[in-house]
């Protein structure tokens, strides 16, 4: 059993008293991440300031048999940083140094607590930026982005976090420190960088991250097109992609989302729109000019009734402000909402949107749609009121039906928010037991004692057979749901 | 000990007599891959035609405790498909079906024996192509490309094989079949597709591969610029990249390489050049036109004395013919050569090329350079004559010095040819023991009995601690070089 007092003493010896939080009221701050529907108060929160401290913290956890969870800024939307009861939450927000800026080789080396947008700010004067841009980029951390393989509006053209991380320093679940990858784009041996990015905190804790930065495009042009319905907007998206154009971003918002952001941040979108598209092109001036005209024409051909073109950075920022604030603004429409996240083949968009509207009517719950239309990454927001008897349950059920609908159309249970706590029950809808087991081979190899963010990602956690070292009694969290030992 | 007769009988029961090769003379065909300096005659060659047969073959190997190696077309340059003595070589060349072409979702599903270029041929009429283009693309197989994470001239802009594989059906080293990834670009759970691509045949055998295809660009323009020296050509490369242009390809050939291909395929390159660059731009017409002018100007500013622009597909093909035939043509210059493969930061190119010329003089051995200049992926060819006493050894030593030189400049021991048999001794120059051990955690998880392409990639193979199932005596190949068991 966990000797809490002893663990506190040992952690304080490493981090000092200011690096350890143990009062229950203060611990409550950390009971959930961006997905507030799951809440667990951890036994202890620790705040290391160096990689060496992380290593020592993890070693103590190993010696004491205490599970641990790493947390960045806590903006994740799948409960990936949900604490474990009787476990230690390792908060990385004090590790916020930008360690190296290497412009000639287009690399920046950061600590995991560094905020996403800081990277771009650091290299902007040299003409570069960091491409992955989650809506939370003002506050989310690079470490969290690595854990969840975060995307963003511009991932259509530029790819996810995994395409922008070339090297990692990692503290493994047993406290050993290793280096994966490096500055080069493809290092010899297994691509463990790729396997680690998106592993949702289950394979260890990144303490140093080498990022690829991208040259700022010569030109960026943004337009906002208003349509009477999502169908017409969807037609425009298909037309743009079919024309062979790869926009930097193609975002769609439906009327509910537009209403929400107008009540919230007031971007002044066209009145009466059933759907709007934000289309951004970037690249060499000559290319952008030429393709921008094509995009305008395609929008008009699909009955856009108003097209606005950003004339300067301020106007462009205003167009994006509404989109980026959409989730937060949903509070103006409904006391509660549940964000779904799924990717479907672009070709299935019209059919899925239509069926989703029918499901919304059947359940008597509103569903707002604001999403990365270009890559088919839907974010339906199911609106509900927790105060109303049974509505939360109905909302969850509807969200589940939407997910099933997406899967039926060849989709995926998550596009960019991760599996975490929330989606693990859906994993068997996408993968066979054998496929899930082979993933857990990797987990077992890295975390044989099942201490590192246990209970996430996999619906049926498995322990590896015999692991070296003394056999120890399983933690209750480890036992729960542990169907089989192999 | 291997009961060869029994294994032959069992394999024939699965594959029929025509699917098993056991006569020593016929086995000799398979004694090496494209790196002929290592040769091992396998005990047996099998030629499965279906994934199920692969599975049964691997299961027999497991039951008999026989190591096995998968081989595609055998064009690899690091000895990754080198057979194992007393082992089974599984040749995938009969699995050559293109299983599915899904143009709307930009995916093609193939069997591993499908030739690289066939994929492009299959989708060309629909306006698409398969981007990774190793020089051997006429003959190399997709399965081999997956094993080695193959690159090519156009990887500067389009990325390596790993960026173009989204899903895999894999027979694991124990004969179990699993599915990794899918058609979607990022599936939930660990990115085992990324870990498998480039694992050089050590984690299992891919039996079905889902590839991403890319839309053919609106315009492609190619120029060939001749310079007096590699220094000036290098200056032009730096200038192009510094201007923010990302060409589809930037290839450099020095005078020795030019001489070789002129004796071979006669592309008619400009006379008297100390170096030539082939620069290809692709993309929307407007962009390509604009940037092409910039490239021309930059080449002239760096003292190019002749610039030729391909006026049609034939002229373009001729420019590329010389480049793609360069390795093969080296036979006209020297009875033997050794291809080195390293990536260095682009900024180190001039210094590394100069020092390489000095080393060449010191060793009295010619070094030809033909390489992907845009991404700093060098391919120095060390020319030697095996008949001359000690020259082969000196050549290998020089190649080693060149590798060390690259590493000193922040480079990598391999760019795109893989580690295989040839480079494993150099792995400790890039990775600490801990870093190599963490890679082998993955290997142990997938291949606990160390049967799947044993002896490759890692200088010091390690066995996992206790593995499930009956403990069996180690195969001689497993014992050799097995320093430690953990």
């Amino acid at each position: 059993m966990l000797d809490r007092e002893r663990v506190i003493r040992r952690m304080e010896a490493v981090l000092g008293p200011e690096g350890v939080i143990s009062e229950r009221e203060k611990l409550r701050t950390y009971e959930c991440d961006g997905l507030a529907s799951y809440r667990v108060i951890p036994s202890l929160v620790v705040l290391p300031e160096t990689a060496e401290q992380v290593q020592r913290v993890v070693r103590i956890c190993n010696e004491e048999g205490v599970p641990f969870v790493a947390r960045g800024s806590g903006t994740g939307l799948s409960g990936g940083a949900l604490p474990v009861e009787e476990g230690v939450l390792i908060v990385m927000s004090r590790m916020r140094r930008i360690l190296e800026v290497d412009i000639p080789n287009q690399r920046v080396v950061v600590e995991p607590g560094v905020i996403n947008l800081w990277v771009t700010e650091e290299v902007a004067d040299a003409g570069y930026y960091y491409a992955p841009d989650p809506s939370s980029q003002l506050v989310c951390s690079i470490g969290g982005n690595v854990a969840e393989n975060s995307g963003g509006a511009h991932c259509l053209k530029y790819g996810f976090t995994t395409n922008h991380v070339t090297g990692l320093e990692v503290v493994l679940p047993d406290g050993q420190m290793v280096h994966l990858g490096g500055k080069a784009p493809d290092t010899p041996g297994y691509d463990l960088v790729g396997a680690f990015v998106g592993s949702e905190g289950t394979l260890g804790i990144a303490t140093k991250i080498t990022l690829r930065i991208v040259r700022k495009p010569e030109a960026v042009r943004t337009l906002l097109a208003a349509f009477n319905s999502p169908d017409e907007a969807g037609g425009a998206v298909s037309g743009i992609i079919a024309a062979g154009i790869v926009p930097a971003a193609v975002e769609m918002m439906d009327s509910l989302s537009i209403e929400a952001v107008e009540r919230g941040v007031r971007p002044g979108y066209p009145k009466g729109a059933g759907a709007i598209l934000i289309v951004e092109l970037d690249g060499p001036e000559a290319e952008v000019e030429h393709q921008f005209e094509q995009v305008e024409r395609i929008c008009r051909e699909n009955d856009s009734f108003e097209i606005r073109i950003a004339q300067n950075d301020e106007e462009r920022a205003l167009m994006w402000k509404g989109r980026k604030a959409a989730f937060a603004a949903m509070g103006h429409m409904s006391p509660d909402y549940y964000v779904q996240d799924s990717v479907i083949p672009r070709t299935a968009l019209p059919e899925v949107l239509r069926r989703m509207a029918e499901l919304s009517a059947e359940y008597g719950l509103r569903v707002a749609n604001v999403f990365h239309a270009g890559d088919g990454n839907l974010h339906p927001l199911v609106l509900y009121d927790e105060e109303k008897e049974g509505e939360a349950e109905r909302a969850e059920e509807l969200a589940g039906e939407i997910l099933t609908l997406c899967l039926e159309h060849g989709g995926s249970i998550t596009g960019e928010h991760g599996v975490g706590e929330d989606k693990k029950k859906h994993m068997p809808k996408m993968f066979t037991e054998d496929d899930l087991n082979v993933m857990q081979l990797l987990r077992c190899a890295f975390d044989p004692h099942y201490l590192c963010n246990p209970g996430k990602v996999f619906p049926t956690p498995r322990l590896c057979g015999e692991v070296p070292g003394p056999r120890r009694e399983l933690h209750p969290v480890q036992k729960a749901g542990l169907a089989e030992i192999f």
Side-chain angles (χ1 to χ4, degrees), chain A:
Chain A
M1 234 28 288
L2 169 67
D3 183 341
R4 187 165 183 264
E5 291 312 312
R6 187 175 63 206
V7 175
I8 292 175
R9 274 199 312 278
R10 294 191 67 183
M11 292 294 182
E12 286 186 346
V14 173
L15 306 169
E18 70 291 344
V20 181
I21 298 173
S22 57
E23 302 88 333
R24 194 161 169 88
E25 262 326 291
K26 291 192 184 159
L27 290 173
R28 194 175 283 281
T29 313
Y30 299 97
E31 67 179 358
C32 66
D33 61 10
L35 182 72
S37 45
Y38 298 90
R39 291 169 197 266
V40 173
I41 297 175
S43 178
L44 215 62
V45 167
V46 298
L47 297 131
E49 294 184 14
T50 65
E52 196 237 332
Q53 286 182 349
V54 174
Q55 230 184 334
R56 291 175 68 188
V57 162
V58 168
R59 286 208 172 120
I60 294 170
C61 289
N62 267 268
E63 286 156 15
E64 301 284 345
V66 189
F68 55 91
V69 176
R71 173 188 162 114
S73 300
T75 54
L77 290 168
S78 58
L82 184 73
V84 161
E85 221 178 292
E86 299 207 10
V88 172
L89 188 73
I90 306 176
V91 175
M92 306 301 286
S93 55
R94 290 190 180 167
M95 292 181 62
R96 292 204 156 167
R97 288 176 303 166
I98 293 179
L99 300 168
E100 190 189 341
V101 177
D102 178 356
I103 296 292
N105 289 305
Q106 311 187 351
R107 296 288 182 272
V108 175
V109 183
V110 302
E111 290 186 333
V114 164
I115 300 302
N116 176 297
L117 197 63
W118 295 0
V119 182
T120 291
E121 288 169 354
E122 184 75 24
V123 299
D125 287 347
Y128 287 84
Y129 72 109
Y130 177 64
D133 59 340
S135 295
S136 55
Q137 68 184 137
L138 280 167
V139 285
C140 66
S141 72
I142 294 293
N145 294 173
V146 167
E148 299 297 329
N149 187 22
S150 304
H154 290 79
C155 290
L156 170 61
K157 183 168 180 179
Y158 292 102
F160 289 75
T161 300
T162 193
N163 303 113
H164 299 270
V165 175
T166 64
L168 292 167
E169 178 187 271
V170 171
V171 173
L172 294 181
D174 67 355
Q176 202 194 344
M177 182 182 285
V178 295
H179 296 85
L180 314 177
K183 280 192 176 179
D186 284 277
T187 48
Y190 301 138
D191 179 17
L192 292 180
V193 175
F196 191 91
V197 177
S199 62
E200 309 199 23
T202 63
L203 299 181
I205 302 174
T207 48
K208 202 183 279 183
I209 301 155
T210 304
L211 301 172
R212 185 165 76 88
I213 50 170
V214 177
R215 181 178 278 269
K216 269 194 274 187
E218 192 185 1
V220 179
R221 296 206 69 187
T222 313
L223 68 72
L224 188 151
F227 299 83
N228 285 315
S229 75
D231 257 23
E232 292 160 353
V237 174
S238 298
I240 291 165
I241 302 293
I245 298 167
V246 184
V250 182
E251 300 286 307
M252 199 193 292
M253 294 171 75
D254 68 4
S255 55
L256 257 179
S257 314
I258 297 169
E259 195 183 332
V261 298
E262 287 300 342
R263 292 196 196 178
V265 298
R266 297 178 207 284
Y269 289 154
K271 297 239 181 294
I276 61 163
L277 284 185
I278 299 175
V279 185
E280 190 158 282
L281 299 180
D282 67 11
E285 187 79 45
E287 170 191 356
V288 170
E289 278 311 311
H290 173 68
Q291 294 195 331
F292 203 72
E293 285 165 24
Q294 286 180 275
V295 169
E296 261 192 88
R297 185 173 45 70
I298 293 164
C299 286
R300 280 188 217 292
E301 285 168 4
N302 284 276
D303 299 322
S304 169
F305 65 81
E306 184 175 344
I307 294 180
R308 294 182 190 172
I309 296 166
Q311 298 302 325
N312 50 46
D313 283 353
E314 287 68 41
E315 290 189 18
R316 177 177 170 245
L318 193 63
M319 285 180 185
W320 276 110
K321 193 177 174 188
R323 169 60 188 89
K324 296 238 171 186
F327 288 7
M330 215 45 74
H332 295 280
M333 304 299 288
S334 170
D336 304 287
Y337 65 89
Y338 180 93
V339 186
Q340 192 49 284
D341 166 48
S342 178
V343 174
I344 55 170
R346 226 162 13 222
T347 43
L349 260 181
E351 169 65 18
V352 167
L353 288 178
R354 259 193 298 274
R355 183 76 193 110
M356 213 187 293
E358 288 168 17
L359 284 170
S360 165
E362 280 170 34
Y363 277 79
L365 291 172
R366 291 175 300 168
V367 177
N369 268 300
V370 42
F371 60 98
H372 310 314
D375 41 17
N377 187 183
L378 297 176
H379 291 321
L381 295 115
V382 179
L383 310 189
Y384 67 96
D385 184 349
E386 208 169 49
E387 300 293 304
K388 289 194 189 146
E389 178 77 20
E391 203 160 296
E393 291 71 28
R394 240 176 37 253
E396 204 190 324
E397 204 182 311
L398 172 54
E401 285 238 33
I402 291 174
L403 202 69
T404 304
L405 169 70
C406 292
L407 287 170
E408 283 166 4
H409 286 81
S412 164
I413 60 168
T414 168
E416 55 182 10
H417 297 172
V419 178
E421 180 65 27
D422 192 36
K423 295 285 185 71
K424 64 185 186 184
K425 59 181 174 292
H426 300 301
M427 287 287 270
K429 295 177 184 166
M430 275 195 80
F431 299 104
T432 67
E433 208 178 320
D434 283 349
D435 297 347
L436 289 172
N437 284 347
V438 74
M439 289 187 203
Q440 295 200 66
L441 281 180
L442 185 64
R443 156 122 211 170
C444 284
F446 276 74
D447 182 24
H449 298 296
Y450 197 57
L451 289 175
C452 187
N453 208 8
K456 309 290 166 62
V457 183
F458 299 103
T460 314
R462 289 171 191 280
L463 272 199
C464 329
E466 292 298 312
V467 293
R471 183 99 188 152
R472 63 162 68 88
E473 216 205 325
L474 288 181
H475 189 276
V477 179
Q478 298 178 293
K479 276 187 196 153
L482 205 69
E484 207 178 311
I485 294 183
F486 73 145

